[in-house]
């Protein structure tokens, strides 16, 4: 082997070593914060990354991270958390509901683990103000242990995935299902009630005379009165 050839081989070897090392030498991706890159690096967040992408929340979150004064906190459910959902759960959601589901995992401020101890419940998420009671996210803590309750699921903050001055990303062991999408339907508006009462009453009186009174007290008598009134009105009209 000539001297020149061995020099060439050595140089080549040196280059490959550098190439192999370089990813490990740059742990933080350069440029603006990229939520998908952070989750990709952490591993086990494939479902969340796909959901962020399909809802276009990926770009929105990245933009918010760089523009927000208060920063952002993402509660990130693992692939395990998603796969332990009842099958078909995600597919049953409309596009709008998928966006709301993702937004429910985003808190519009940077929270350190100790900040969770002083938040007031229900906490505001990007899915909307909790004033309407349909997107409550409640935090309870014991020391550094942080529990989350949505009214549908109880979850635990399992790990810090990433934190800088603007962004905090925490692993949660459950998908945070909001009451608005997965809870019982909101209470029906009042006007629908009289409809139910009026057609049923006259029939009941014929079959069992006591049924409308046996709930006893003023209410039963009152209902009985309405029933009789309706019967009287119907009778009057049919004359
Ligand atoms: C963010 O990172 C993901 C995953 O590495 C990549 O696919 C995407 O192109 C990046 N987005 C930007 C805006 O750099
Ligand atoms: C948090 O949840 C765990 C069960 O997941 C429970 O044992 C613990 O008491 C809860 N802590 C608080 C403060 O709610
Ligand atoms: C959340 O906390 C608020 C205020 O303490 C309470 O009224 C509400 O019932 C709680 N909801 C859930 C789902 O824990
Ligand atoms: C969540 O925790 C609360 C309080 O500990 C409990 O009453 C409720 O049943 C739990 N809900 C679920 C879905 O586990």
């Amino acid at each position: 082997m000539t001297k020149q050839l061995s020099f060439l081989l050595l140089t080549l070897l040196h280059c490959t070593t550098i190439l192999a090392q370089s990813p490990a030498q740059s742990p933080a991706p350069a440029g603006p914060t990229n939520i998908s890159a952070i989750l990709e690096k952490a591993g086990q967040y494939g479902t969340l990354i796909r959901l962020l992408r399909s809802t276009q929340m990926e770009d929105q979150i990245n933009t918010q991270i760089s523009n927000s004064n208060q920063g952002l906190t993402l509660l990130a459910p693992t692939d395990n958390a998603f796969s332990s959902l009842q099958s078909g759960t995600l597919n049953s959601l409309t596009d709008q509901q998928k966006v709301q589901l993702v937004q429910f995992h985003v808190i519009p401020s940077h929270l350190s683990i100790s900040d969770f101890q002083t938040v007031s419940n229900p906490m505001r998420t990007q899915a909307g103000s909790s004033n309407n009671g349909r997107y409550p996210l409640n935090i309870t803590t014991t020391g550094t242990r942080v529990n989350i309750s949505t009214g549908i699921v109880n979850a635990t903050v399992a790990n810090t995935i990433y934190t800088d001055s603007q962004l905090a990303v925490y692993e949660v062991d459950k998908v945070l299902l909001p009451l608005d999408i997965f809870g019982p339907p909101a209470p029906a508006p009042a006007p629908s009630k009289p409809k139910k009462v009026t057609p049923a009453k006259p029939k009941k009186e014929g079959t069992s005379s006591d049924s409308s009174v046996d709930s006893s007290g003023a209410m039963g008598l009152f209902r009985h009165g309405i029933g009789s009134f309706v019967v009287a009105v119907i009778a009057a009209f049919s004359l």
Side-chain angles (χ1 to χ4, degrees):
M1 210 183 265
T2 68
K3 224 179 177 184
Q4 269 181 338
L5 192 63
S6 59
F7 175 72
L8 201 71
L9 275 171
L10 266 175
T11 314
L12 212 68
L13 201 72
H14 188 59
C15 282
T16 27
T17 315
I18 287 177
L19 277 175
Q21 278 176 349
S22 57
Q25 283 170 343
S26 55
T33 312
N34 178 341
I35 190 68
S36 300
I38 288 169
L39 291 171
E40 215 167 69
K41 189 159 184 285
Q44 60 165 347
Y45 296 97
T47 314
L48 180 59
I49 291 170
R50 281 196 296 279
L51 196 58
L52 285 168
R53 204 154 285 171
S54 70
T55 54
Q56 268 137 44
M57 283 296 291
E58 180 187 17
D59 295 337
Q60 201 174 314
I61 288 175
N62 285 337
T63 308
Q64 282 167 347
I65 294 167
S66 46
N67 293 344
S68 162
N69 291 326
Q70 301 187 294
L72 214 73
T73 301
L74 174 69
L75 302 170
T78 58
D79 286 339
N80 266 342
F82 277 102
S83 60
S84 64
L85 287 176
Q86 218 179 330
S87 75
T89 300
L90 280 188
N91 288 338
S92 73
L93 301 181
T94 64
D95 288 347
Q96 177 63 21
Q97 287 172 328
K98 282 180 190 161
V99 170
Q100 287 167 324
L101 179 66
V102 173
Q103 288 175 331
F104 193 53
H105 290 74
V106 180
I107 297 158
S109 59
H110 179 285
L111 295 175
S112 68
I113 283 288
S114 59
D115 288 337
F116 278 107
Q117 294 169 11
T118 54
V119 295
S120 55
N121 288 330
M123 207 167 50
R124 200 165 77 84
T125 72
Q126 285 202 337
S129 105
S130 46
N131 291 341
N132 57 10
R134 300 300 286 168
Y135 286 96
L137 193 74
N138 284 4
I139 305 292
T140 48
T141 57
T142 332
T144 56
R145 174 162 195 150
V146 180
N147 284 3
I148 302 167
S149 174
T150 72
I152 303 285
V153 294
N154 295 334
T156 295
V157 171
N159 256 315
T160 302
I161 299 168
Y162 179 89
T163 184
D164 63 21
S165 60
Q166 277 293 95
L167 174 70
V169 184
Y170 298 106
E171 171 187 335
V172 289
D173 63 343
K174 303 258 175 62
V175 180
L176 306 175
L177 303 177
L179 204 53
D180 188 60
I181 300 175
F182 296 94
S192 64
K193 270 189 176 168
K195 265 190 202 159
K196 272 183 187 167
V197 177
T198 39
K201 278 306 166 192
K203 230 181 181 181
K204 260 191 178 174
E205 274 168 358
T207 49
S208 91
S209 54
D210 278 1
S211 68
S212 56
V213 192
D214 65 10
S215 56
S216 91
M219 199 58 201
L221 285 169
F222 179 67
R223 283 212 202 123
H224 186 68
I226 288 179
S228 311
F229 176 70
V230 169
V231 171
V233 169
I234 289 169
F237 270 93
S238 57
L239 279 176

